[in-house]
Structures are given as structure tokens and as C-alpha cells.
Amino acid sequence: MKKELLPNYYQKIGLIFGLISILILTTYYFELELIKSSKDIIKSIFENILLASLLLIVFTKEKYETDKINLIRLGTLKRALIFGGLILIFESILKLILNSDFFEIRSGYEIMIMILLFYLIIFKEKVIKIKPGHNNISYEKQ
């Protein structure tokens, strides 16, 4: 089955934009005022850039793409979606148990970021374990 993924160099593009947006969002949260009047607009723009950067990184091919990596990708995606669903369920239960004024459910943006970060951490950790030279896997450069 042919997988439609972005070329490998998109990971670098996503990483660069992601780091820039993290730096800007960090300055926002420490309340160093870049532009006083449009602080919320800047926050929103860079949150969206961070989300787009994570999506770019997640949906790019690895430098050496194999069937085993595709299976790892699929399995990790399933786990990440289960992780996101469990977060929603857990937070909904907490909101019911605790006072609704006391506890807020995370936004879709925050849950999406957590799912993508969970996916990236688990996927990259598993891919690192099967580097060329381990397990005698034949690699094809994409």
C-alpha cells in the first residue's frame, strides 16, 4: 500500500517553524510584551504555527522508509488517538466529580498538541531503535 506522506525535508521546515513559535509563545507566557495592543492575535497566530509545524513533522517520510516503519507509524497513531480519547474522558469525569467552576476541560487545540507530541515522542523513540545496522532490515532511501 502506497502511503502519501510529505518528503523528508518538511521535517526540518516544521522543526524550524515549531521552534520559532515555541520561543514566541514562551515570551508571551512570561508576559514580555512584544506588541501591547495585539497580544492575543500574536498568541493565536503562533499557536496555529506550532500546530501546523507539528502536523508537518508528523506527516513526513523518514529518511529511510520501510514497511516496518509504516507499521510503527500506524500502531503509534492508534495509541496517540487512544491517549487523546482517554484525556477527554478523564477530564470529563474530573469535571463532573469536581465543581465545574473549579476545573476546565482543555481546548481542542491543547488536546491536538498533546496527541501530536505523544505520537512524535513514541514514534521517534521506536524508529531510533531500528536504525540501519540493527535487525538486518533493508532500507530504501525515499
Side-chain angles (χ1 to χ4, degrees), residues 14 16-29 34-35 38-54 109 113:
I16 290 168
F17 283 114
L19 290 174
I20 290 170
S21 65
I22 287 172
L23 288 172
I24 299 295
L25 288 171
T26 302
T27 58
Y28 171 81
Y29 285 115
L34 299 174
I35 300 172
S38 59
K39 205 171 179 185
D40 289 334
I41 295 171
I42 290 173
K43 178 186 174 210
S44 178
I45 289 170
F46 284 101
E47 282 179 343
N48 287 322
I49 291 172
L50 176 62
L51 182 60
S53 299
L54 286 172
Y109 167 81
I113 293 291

PDB file of all heavy atoms in Angstrom, residues 14 16-29 34-35 38-54 109 113:
ATOM      1  N   GLY A  14       9.223  22.104   9.441  1.00  0.00           N
ATOM      2  CA  GLY A  14       8.332  22.067  10.591  1.00  0.00           C
ATOM      3  C   GLY A  14       9.065  22.319  11.894  1.00  0.00           C
ATOM      4  O   GLY A  14       8.576  23.026  12.773  1.00  0.00           O
ATOM      5  N   ILE A  16      11.875  24.055  12.333  1.00  0.00           N
ATOM      6  CA  ILE A  16      12.280  25.470  12.395  1.00  0.00           C
ATOM      7  C   ILE A  16      11.097  26.345  12.817  1.00  0.00           C
ATOM      8  O   ILE A  16      11.194  27.150  13.748  1.00  0.00           O
ATOM      9  CB  ILE A  16      12.867  25.938  11.049  1.00  0.00           C
ATOM     10  CG1 ILE A  16      14.236  25.284  10.816  1.00  0.00           C
ATOM     11  CG2 ILE A  16      12.978  27.460  10.999  1.00  0.00           C
ATOM     12  CD1 ILE A  16      14.769  25.446   9.406  1.00  0.00           C
ATOM     13  N   PHE A  17       9.948  26.186  12.136  1.00  0.00           N
ATOM     14  CA  PHE A  17       8.779  26.991  12.477  1.00  0.00           C
ATOM     15  C   PHE A  17       8.265  26.658  13.878  1.00  0.00           C
ATOM     16  O   PHE A  17       7.801  27.533  14.602  1.00  0.00           O
ATOM     17  CB  PHE A  17       7.663  26.827  11.442  1.00  0.00           C
ATOM     18  CG  PHE A  17       7.910  27.599  10.187  1.00  0.00           C
ATOM     19  CD1 PHE A  17       8.128  26.949   8.981  1.00  0.00           C
ATOM     20  CD2 PHE A  17       7.921  28.982  10.208  1.00  0.00           C
ATOM     21  CE1 PHE A  17       8.352  27.662   7.825  1.00  0.00           C
ATOM     22  CE2 PHE A  17       8.146  29.708   9.042  1.00  0.00           C
ATOM     23  CZ  PHE A  17       8.366  29.043   7.858  1.00  0.00           C
ATOM     24  N   GLY A  18       8.350  25.395  14.261  1.00  0.00           N
ATOM     25  CA  GLY A  18       7.925  24.998  15.601  1.00  0.00           C
ATOM     26  C   GLY A  18       8.769  25.643  16.679  1.00  0.00           C
ATOM     27  O   GLY A  18       8.243  26.152  17.680  1.00  0.00           O
ATOM     28  N   LEU A  19      10.075  25.648  16.487  1.00  0.00           N
ATOM     29  CA  LEU A  19      10.960  26.271  17.478  1.00  0.00           C
ATOM     30  C   LEU A  19      10.732  27.779  17.574  1.00  0.00           C
ATOM     31  O   LEU A  19      10.715  28.342  18.673  1.00  0.00           O
ATOM     32  CB  LEU A  19      12.421  25.973  17.143  1.00  0.00           C
ATOM     33  CG  LEU A  19      12.868  24.519  17.351  1.00  0.00           C
ATOM     34  CD1 LEU A  19      14.292  24.328  16.851  1.00  0.00           C
ATOM     35  CD2 LEU A  19      12.735  24.117  18.803  1.00  0.00           C
ATOM     36  N   ILE A  20      10.537  28.409  16.426  1.00  0.00           N
ATOM     37  CA  ILE A  20      10.259  29.855  16.433  1.00  0.00           C
ATOM     38  C   ILE A  20       8.963  30.142  17.187  1.00  0.00           C
ATOM     39  O   ILE A  20       8.907  31.038  18.030  1.00  0.00           O
ATOM     40  CB  ILE A  20      10.193  30.411  14.993  1.00  0.00           C
ATOM     41  CG1 ILE A  20      11.588  30.405  14.359  1.00  0.00           C
ATOM     42  CG2 ILE A  20       9.601  31.817  14.975  1.00  0.00           C
ATOM     43  CD1 ILE A  20      11.599  30.693  12.879  1.00  0.00           C
ATOM     44  N   SER A  21       7.920  29.351  16.920  1.00  0.00           N
ATOM     45  CA  SER A  21       6.648  29.605  17.592  1.00  0.00           C
ATOM     46  C   SER A  21       6.733  29.299  19.081  1.00  0.00           C
ATOM     47  O   SER A  21       6.115  29.995  19.894  1.00  0.00           O
ATOM     48  CB  SER A  21       5.515  28.820  16.933  1.00  0.00           C
ATOM     49  OG  SER A  21       5.715  27.437  17.082  1.00  0.00           O
ATOM     50  N   ILE A  22       7.501  28.290  19.471  1.00  0.00           N
ATOM     51  CA  ILE A  22       7.677  27.997  20.898  1.00  0.00           C
ATOM     52  C   ILE A  22       8.384  29.158  21.590  1.00  0.00           C
ATOM     53  O   ILE A  22       8.002  29.557  22.697  1.00  0.00           O
ATOM     54  CB  ILE A  22       8.443  26.673  21.100  1.00  0.00           C
ATOM     55  CG1 ILE A  22       7.530  25.499  20.752  1.00  0.00           C
ATOM     56  CG2 ILE A  22       8.957  26.542  22.536  1.00  0.00           C
ATOM     57  CD1 ILE A  22       8.225  24.157  20.723  1.00  0.00           C
ATOM     58  N   LEU A  23       9.392  29.722  20.933  1.00  0.00           N
ATOM     59  CA  LEU A  23      10.086  30.873  21.524  1.00  0.00           C
ATOM     60  C   LEU A  23       9.140  32.064  21.693  1.00  0.00           C
ATOM     61  O   LEU A  23       9.128  32.725  22.740  1.00  0.00           O
ATOM     62  CB  LEU A  23      11.281  31.268  20.663  1.00  0.00           C
ATOM     63  CG  LEU A  23      12.479  30.330  20.698  1.00  0.00           C
ATOM     64  CD1 LEU A  23      13.514  30.743  19.659  1.00  0.00           C
ATOM     65  CD2 LEU A  23      13.093  30.315  22.083  1.00  0.00           C
ATOM     66  N   ILE A  24       8.339  32.343  20.685  1.00  0.00           N
ATOM     67  CA  ILE A  24       7.400  33.463  20.765  1.00  0.00           C
ATOM     68  C   ILE A  24       6.339  33.200  21.828  1.00  0.00           C
ATOM     69  O   ILE A  24       6.017  34.085  22.634  1.00  0.00           O
ATOM     70  CB  ILE A  24       6.738  33.724  19.389  1.00  0.00           C
ATOM     71  CG1 ILE A  24       7.778  34.084  18.334  1.00  0.00           C
ATOM     72  CG2 ILE A  24       5.667  34.800  19.504  1.00  0.00           C
ATOM     73  CD1 ILE A  24       8.517  35.370  18.567  1.00  0.00           C
ATOM     74  N   LEU A  25       5.805  31.967  21.869  1.00  0.00           N
ATOM     75  CA  LEU A  25       4.793  31.647  22.873  1.00  0.00           C
ATOM     76  C   LEU A  25       5.374  31.692  24.281  1.00  0.00           C
ATOM     77  O   LEU A  25       4.688  32.081  25.230  1.00  0.00           O
ATOM     78  CB  LEU A  25       4.175  30.281  22.592  1.00  0.00           C
ATOM     79  CG  LEU A  25       3.240  30.218  21.387  1.00  0.00           C
ATOM     80  CD1 LEU A  25       2.869  28.785  21.064  1.00  0.00           C
ATOM     81  CD2 LEU A  25       1.996  31.061  21.624  1.00  0.00           C
ATOM     82  N   THR A  26       6.632  31.304  24.438  1.00  0.00           N
ATOM     83  CA  THR A  26       7.286  31.374  25.747  1.00  0.00           C
ATOM     84  C   THR A  26       7.384  32.821  26.204  1.00  0.00           C
ATOM     85  O   THR A  26       7.092  33.134  27.361  1.00  0.00           O
ATOM     86  CB  THR A  26       8.686  30.739  25.690  1.00  0.00           C
ATOM     87  OG1 THR A  26       8.557  29.380  25.251  1.00  0.00           O
ATOM     88  CG2 THR A  26       9.361  30.764  27.037  1.00  0.00           C
ATOM     89  N   THR A  27       7.778  33.709  25.313  1.00  0.00           N
ATOM     90  CA  THR A  27       7.842  35.122  25.692  1.00  0.00           C
ATOM     91  C   THR A  27       6.443  35.650  26.009  1.00  0.00           C
ATOM     92  O   THR A  27       6.288  36.475  26.895  1.00  0.00           O
ATOM     93  CB  THR A  27       8.484  35.991  24.598  1.00  0.00           C
ATOM     94  OG1 THR A  27       7.742  35.857  23.388  1.00  0.00           O
ATOM     95  CG2 THR A  27       9.921  35.615  24.372  1.00  0.00           C
ATOM     96  N   TYR A  28       5.436  35.130  25.306  1.00  0.00           N
ATOM     97  CA  TYR A  28       4.063  35.543  25.586  1.00  0.00           C
ATOM     98  C   TYR A  28       3.656  35.128  27.006  1.00  0.00           C
ATOM     99  O   TYR A  28       3.089  35.910  27.753  1.00  0.00           O
ATOM    100  CB  TYR A  28       3.091  34.927  24.575  1.00  0.00           C
ATOM    101  CG  TYR A  28       1.646  35.144  24.944  1.00  0.00           C
ATOM    102  CD1 TYR A  28       1.010  36.339  24.658  1.00  0.00           C
ATOM    103  CD2 TYR A  28       0.931  34.158  25.615  1.00  0.00           C
ATOM    104  CE1 TYR A  28      -0.303  36.556  25.008  1.00  0.00           C
ATOM    105  CE2 TYR A  28      -0.381  34.365  25.978  1.00  0.00           C
ATOM    106  CZ  TYR A  28      -0.993  35.559  25.673  1.00  0.00           C
ATOM    107  OH  TYR A  28      -2.290  35.765  26.038  1.00  0.00           O
ATOM    108  N   TYR A  29       3.955  33.891  27.359  1.00  0.00           N
ATOM    109  CA  TYR A  29       3.541  33.399  28.672  1.00  0.00           C
ATOM    110  C   TYR A  29       4.327  34.034  29.808  1.00  0.00           C
ATOM    111  O   TYR A  29       3.853  34.080  30.934  1.00  0.00           O
ATOM    112  CB  TYR A  29       3.609  31.883  28.733  1.00  0.00           C
ATOM    113  CG  TYR A  29       2.471  31.250  27.972  1.00  0.00           C
ATOM    114  CD1 TYR A  29       2.693  30.493  26.839  1.00  0.00           C
ATOM    115  CD2 TYR A  29       1.151  31.452  28.368  1.00  0.00           C
ATOM    116  CE1 TYR A  29       1.643  29.930  26.137  1.00  0.00           C
ATOM    117  CE2 TYR A  29       0.095  30.902  27.668  1.00  0.00           C
ATOM    118  CZ  TYR A  29       0.349  30.137  26.562  1.00  0.00           C
ATOM    119  OH  TYR A  29      -0.694  29.599  25.872  1.00  0.00           O
ATOM    120  N   LEU A  34       5.604  42.055  23.376  1.00  0.00           N
ATOM    121  CA  LEU A  34       6.183  42.356  22.066  1.00  0.00           C
ATOM    122  C   LEU A  34       5.424  43.525  21.433  1.00  0.00           C
ATOM    123  O   LEU A  34       6.004  44.503  21.021  1.00  0.00           O
ATOM    124  CB  LEU A  34       6.118  41.124  21.169  1.00  0.00           C
ATOM    125  CG  LEU A  34       6.884  39.906  21.671  1.00  0.00           C
ATOM    126  CD1 LEU A  34       6.607  38.718  20.776  1.00  0.00           C
ATOM    127  CD2 LEU A  34       8.359  40.211  21.692  1.00  0.00           C
ATOM    128  N   ILE A  35       4.146  43.351  21.353  1.00  0.00           N
ATOM    129  CA  ILE A  35       3.273  44.404  20.835  1.00  0.00           C
ATOM    130  C   ILE A  35       2.086  44.455  21.781  1.00  0.00           C
ATOM    131  O   ILE A  35       1.336  43.494  21.889  1.00  0.00           O
ATOM    132  CB  ILE A  35       2.811  44.097  19.396  1.00  0.00           C
ATOM    133  CG1 ILE A  35       4.026  43.976  18.479  1.00  0.00           C
ATOM    134  CG2 ILE A  35       1.855  45.159  18.912  1.00  0.00           C
ATOM    135  CD1 ILE A  35       3.703  43.483  17.101  1.00  0.00           C
ATOM    136  N   SER A  38      -1.852  43.911  20.325  1.00  0.00           N
ATOM    137  CA  SER A  38      -2.302  42.704  19.627  1.00  0.00           C
ATOM    138  C   SER A  38      -1.691  41.436  20.226  1.00  0.00           C
ATOM    139  O   SER A  38      -1.330  40.519  19.505  1.00  0.00           O
ATOM    140  CB  SER A  38      -1.957  42.814  18.150  1.00  0.00           C
ATOM    141  OG  SER A  38      -0.568  42.979  18.005  1.00  0.00           O
ATOM    142  N   LYS A  39      -1.640  41.378  21.546  1.00  0.00           N
ATOM    143  CA  LYS A  39      -1.033  40.240  22.231  1.00  0.00           C
ATOM    144  C   LYS A  39      -1.802  38.942  21.965  1.00  0.00           C
ATOM    145  O   LYS A  39      -1.201  37.902  21.704  1.00  0.00           O
ATOM    146  CB  LYS A  39      -0.987  40.544  23.725  1.00  0.00           C
ATOM    147  CG  LYS A  39       0.072  39.804  24.451  1.00  0.00           C
ATOM    148  CD  LYS A  39       0.179  40.345  25.861  1.00  0.00           C
ATOM    149  CE  LYS A  39       1.225  39.590  26.613  1.00  0.00           C
ATOM    150  NZ  LYS A  39       1.297  39.970  27.990  1.00  0.00           N
ATOM    151  N   ASP A  40      -3.126  38.989  22.010  1.00  0.00           N
ATOM    152  CA  ASP A  40      -3.925  37.791  21.776  1.00  0.00           C
ATOM    153  C   ASP A  40      -3.834  37.321  20.322  1.00  0.00           C
ATOM    154  O   ASP A  40      -3.858  36.120  20.056  1.00  0.00           O
ATOM    155  CB  ASP A  40      -5.381  38.038  22.150  1.00  0.00           C
ATOM    156  CG  ASP A  40      -5.566  38.139  23.651  1.00  0.00           C
ATOM    157  OD1 ASP A  40      -4.753  37.560  24.394  1.00  0.00           O
ATOM    158  OD2 ASP A  40      -6.531  38.798  24.078  1.00  0.00           O
ATOM    159  N   ILE A  41      -3.736  38.263  19.409  1.00  0.00           N
ATOM    160  CA  ILE A  41      -3.593  37.909  17.997  1.00  0.00           C
ATOM    161  C   ILE A  41      -2.262  37.198  17.773  1.00  0.00           C
ATOM    162  O   ILE A  41      -2.201  36.178  17.082  1.00  0.00           O
ATOM    163  CB  ILE A  41      -3.713  39.160  17.098  1.00  0.00           C
ATOM    164  CG1 ILE A  41      -5.126  39.733  17.198  1.00  0.00           C
ATOM    165  CG2 ILE A  41      -3.357  38.835  15.659  1.00  0.00           C
ATOM    166  CD1 ILE A  41      -5.296  41.070  16.536  1.00  0.00           C
ATOM    167  N   ILE A  42      -1.199  37.710  18.369  1.00  0.00           N
ATOM    168  CA  ILE A  42       0.118  37.090  18.237  1.00  0.00           C
ATOM    169  C   ILE A  42       0.097  35.687  18.827  1.00  0.00           C
ATOM    170  O   ILE A  42       0.601  34.739  18.225  1.00  0.00           O
ATOM    171  CB  ILE A  42       1.200  37.959  18.914  1.00  0.00           C
ATOM    172  CG1 ILE A  42       1.415  39.226  18.104  1.00  0.00           C
ATOM    173  CG2 ILE A  42       2.508  37.200  19.065  1.00  0.00           C
ATOM    174  CD1 ILE A  42       2.322  40.233  18.757  1.00  0.00           C
ATOM    175  N   LYS A  43      -0.521  35.543  19.995  1.00  0.00           N
ATOM    176  CA  LYS A  43      -0.615  34.224  20.627  1.00  0.00           C
ATOM    177  C   LYS A  43      -1.343  33.246  19.707  1.00  0.00           C
ATOM    178  O   LYS A  43      -0.888  32.130  19.482  1.00  0.00           O
ATOM    179  CB  LYS A  43      -1.344  34.329  21.963  1.00  0.00           C
ATOM    180  CG  LYS A  43      -1.525  32.991  22.639  1.00  0.00           C
ATOM    181  CD  LYS A  43      -2.379  33.099  23.875  1.00  0.00           C
ATOM    182  CE  LYS A  43      -2.654  31.717  24.415  1.00  0.00           C
ATOM    183  NZ  LYS A  43      -3.905  31.617  25.094  1.00  0.00           N
ATOM    184  N   SER A  44      -2.454  33.657  19.164  1.00  0.00           N
ATOM    185  CA  SER A  44      -3.249  32.800  18.288  1.00  0.00           C
ATOM    186  C   SER A  44      -2.480  32.412  17.030  1.00  0.00           C
ATOM    187  O   SER A  44      -2.497  31.249  16.615  1.00  0.00           O
ATOM    188  CB  SER A  44      -4.538  33.515  17.914  1.00  0.00           C
ATOM    189  OG  SER A  44      -5.291  32.738  17.042  1.00  0.00           O
ATOM    190  N   ILE A  45      -1.800  33.363  16.432  1.00  0.00           N
ATOM    191  CA  ILE A  45      -1.026  33.092  15.210  1.00  0.00           C
ATOM    192  C   ILE A  45       0.063  32.062  15.490  1.00  0.00           C
ATOM    193  O   ILE A  45       0.222  31.083  14.752  1.00  0.00           O
ATOM    194  CB  ILE A  45      -0.423  34.390  14.647  1.00  0.00           C
ATOM    195  CG1 ILE A  45      -1.518  35.265  14.051  1.00  0.00           C
ATOM    196  CG2 ILE A  45       0.656  34.086  13.603  1.00  0.00           C
ATOM    197  CD1 ILE A  45      -1.067  36.667  13.688  1.00  0.00           C
ATOM    198  N   PHE A  46       0.817  32.245  16.561  1.00  0.00           N
ATOM    199  CA  PHE A  46       1.924  31.339  16.828  1.00  0.00           C
ATOM    200  C   PHE A  46       1.468  29.996  17.377  1.00  0.00           C
ATOM    201  O   PHE A  46       2.150  28.992  17.191  1.00  0.00           O
ATOM    202  CB  PHE A  46       2.973  32.013  17.712  1.00  0.00           C
ATOM    203  CG  PHE A  46       3.807  32.982  16.930  1.00  0.00           C
ATOM    204  CD1 PHE A  46       3.562  34.332  16.994  1.00  0.00           C
ATOM    205  CD2 PHE A  46       4.802  32.519  16.082  1.00  0.00           C
ATOM    206  CE1 PHE A  46       4.309  35.227  16.240  1.00  0.00           C
ATOM    207  CE2 PHE A  46       5.553  33.400  15.326  1.00  0.00           C
ATOM    208  CZ  PHE A  46       5.308  34.753  15.410  1.00  0.00           C
ATOM    209  N   GLU A  47       0.310  29.926  18.012  1.00  0.00           N
ATOM    210  CA  GLU A  47      -0.247  28.621  18.374  1.00  0.00           C
ATOM    211  C   GLU A  47      -0.600  27.842  17.115  1.00  0.00           C
ATOM    212  O   GLU A  47      -0.340  26.637  17.026  1.00  0.00           O
ATOM    213  CB  GLU A  47      -1.488  28.798  19.249  1.00  0.00           C
ATOM    214  CG  GLU A  47      -1.205  29.123  20.675  1.00  0.00           C
ATOM    215  CD  GLU A  47      -2.464  29.322  21.497  1.00  0.00           C
ATOM    216  OE1 GLU A  47      -3.553  29.529  20.929  1.00  0.00           O
ATOM    217  OE2 GLU A  47      -2.338  29.279  22.723  1.00  0.00           O
ATOM    218  N   ASN A  48      -1.166  28.531  16.133  1.00  0.00           N
ATOM    219  CA  ASN A  48      -1.504  27.864  14.876  1.00  0.00           C
ATOM    220  C   ASN A  48      -0.254  27.446  14.111  1.00  0.00           C
ATOM    221  O   ASN A  48      -0.232  26.393  13.472  1.00  0.00           O
ATOM    222  CB  ASN A  48      -2.399  28.755  14.023  1.00  0.00           C
ATOM    223  CG  ASN A  48      -3.794  28.835  14.583  1.00  0.00           C
ATOM    224  OD1 ASN A  48      -4.329  27.859  15.082  1.00  0.00           O
ATOM    225  ND2 ASN A  48      -4.383  30.012  14.530  1.00  0.00           N
ATOM    226  N   ILE A  49       0.791  28.270  14.156  1.00  0.00           N
ATOM    227  CA  ILE A  49       2.049  27.891  13.511  1.00  0.00           C
ATOM    228  C   ILE A  49       2.644  26.661  14.187  1.00  0.00           C
ATOM    229  O   ILE A  49       3.144  25.748  13.520  1.00  0.00           O
ATOM    230  CB  ILE A  49       3.049  29.071  13.509  1.00  0.00           C
ATOM    231  CG1 ILE A  49       2.556  30.168  12.571  1.00  0.00           C
ATOM    232  CG2 ILE A  49       4.446  28.613  13.101  1.00  0.00           C
ATOM    233  CD1 ILE A  49       3.359  31.448  12.624  1.00  0.00           C
ATOM    234  N   LEU A  50       2.572  26.603  15.516  1.00  0.00           N
ATOM    235  CA  LEU A  50       3.069  25.430  16.242  1.00  0.00           C
ATOM    236  C   LEU A  50       2.296  24.182  15.843  1.00  0.00           C
ATOM    237  O   LEU A  50       2.891  23.136  15.571  1.00  0.00           O
ATOM    238  CB  LEU A  50       2.965  25.662  17.753  1.00  0.00           C
ATOM    239  CG  LEU A  50       3.364  24.483  18.641  1.00  0.00           C
ATOM    240  CD1 LEU A  50       4.827  24.114  18.417  1.00  0.00           C
ATOM    241  CD2 LEU A  50       3.105  24.801  20.094  1.00  0.00           C
ATOM    242  N   LEU A  51       0.984  24.278  15.771  1.00  0.00           N
ATOM    243  CA  LEU A  51       0.161  23.139  15.365  1.00  0.00           C
ATOM    244  C   LEU A  51       0.503  22.696  13.942  1.00  0.00           C
ATOM    245  O   LEU A  51       0.679  21.510  13.670  1.00  0.00           O
ATOM    246  CB  LEU A  51      -1.319  23.485  15.487  1.00  0.00           C
ATOM    247  CG  LEU A  51      -2.299  22.376  15.143  1.00  0.00           C
ATOM    248  CD1 LEU A  51      -2.107  21.174  16.047  1.00  0.00           C
ATOM    249  CD2 LEU A  51      -3.724  22.890  15.249  1.00  0.00           C
ATOM    250  N   ALA A  52       0.626  23.652  13.028  1.00  0.00           N
ATOM    251  CA  ALA A  52       0.990  23.326  11.640  1.00  0.00           C
ATOM    252  C   ALA A  52       2.378  22.699  11.572  1.00  0.00           C
ATOM    253  O   ALA A  52       2.599  21.759  10.794  1.00  0.00           O
ATOM    254  CB  ALA A  52       0.928  24.583  10.777  1.00  0.00           C
ATOM    255  N   SER A  53       3.303  23.181  12.381  1.00  0.00           N
ATOM    256  CA  SER A  53       4.657  22.617  12.399  1.00  0.00           C
ATOM    257  C   SER A  53       4.642  21.170  12.866  1.00  0.00           C
ATOM    258  O   SER A  53       5.307  20.311  12.277  1.00  0.00           O
ATOM    259  CB  SER A  53       5.560  23.427  13.328  1.00  0.00           C
ATOM    260  OG  SER A  53       5.649  24.747  12.894  1.00  0.00           O
ATOM    261  N   LEU A  54       3.880  20.889  13.917  1.00  0.00           N
ATOM    262  CA  LEU A  54       3.782  19.512  14.395  1.00  0.00           C
ATOM    263  C   LEU A  54       3.140  18.608  13.349  1.00  0.00           C
ATOM    264  O   LEU A  54       3.572  17.470  13.147  1.00  0.00           O
ATOM    265  CB  LEU A  54       2.993  19.458  15.706  1.00  0.00           C
ATOM    266  CG  LEU A  54       3.728  19.964  16.933  1.00  0.00           C
ATOM    267  CD1 LEU A  54       2.790  20.049  18.129  1.00  0.00           C
ATOM    268  CD2 LEU A  54       4.915  19.082  17.261  1.00  0.00           C
ATOM    269  N   TYR A 109      -7.470  22.487  20.697  1.00  0.00           N
ATOM    270  CA  TYR A 109      -6.097  22.816  20.320  1.00  0.00           C
ATOM    271  C   TYR A 109      -5.105  22.138  21.259  1.00  0.00           C
ATOM    272  O   TYR A 109      -4.151  21.503  20.818  1.00  0.00           O
ATOM    273  CB  TYR A 109      -5.900  24.339  20.346  1.00  0.00           C
ATOM    274  CG  TYR A 109      -4.460  24.745  20.274  1.00  0.00           C
ATOM    275  CD1 TYR A 109      -3.798  24.775  19.053  1.00  0.00           C
ATOM    276  CD2 TYR A 109      -3.744  25.053  21.419  1.00  0.00           C
ATOM    277  CE1 TYR A 109      -2.460  25.115  18.987  1.00  0.00           C
ATOM    278  CE2 TYR A 109      -2.415  25.389  21.360  1.00  0.00           C
ATOM    279  CZ  TYR A 109      -1.781  25.415  20.143  1.00  0.00           C
ATOM    280  OH  TYR A 109      -0.454  25.739  20.084  1.00  0.00           O
ATOM    281  N   ILE A 113      -2.385  19.165  20.309  1.00  0.00           N
ATOM    282  CA  ILE A 113      -0.950  19.306  20.554  1.00  0.00           C
ATOM    283  C   ILE A 113      -0.445  18.127  21.381  1.00  0.00           C
ATOM    284  O   ILE A 113       0.606  17.545  21.078  1.00  0.00           O
ATOM    285  CB  ILE A 113      -0.640  20.650  21.275  1.00  0.00           C
ATOM    286  CG1 ILE A 113      -0.945  21.836  20.368  1.00  0.00           C
ATOM    287  CG2 ILE A 113       0.804  20.698  21.766  1.00  0.00           C
ATOM    288  CD1 ILE A 113      -0.032  22.001  19.185  1.00  0.00           C
TER     289      ILE A 113
END
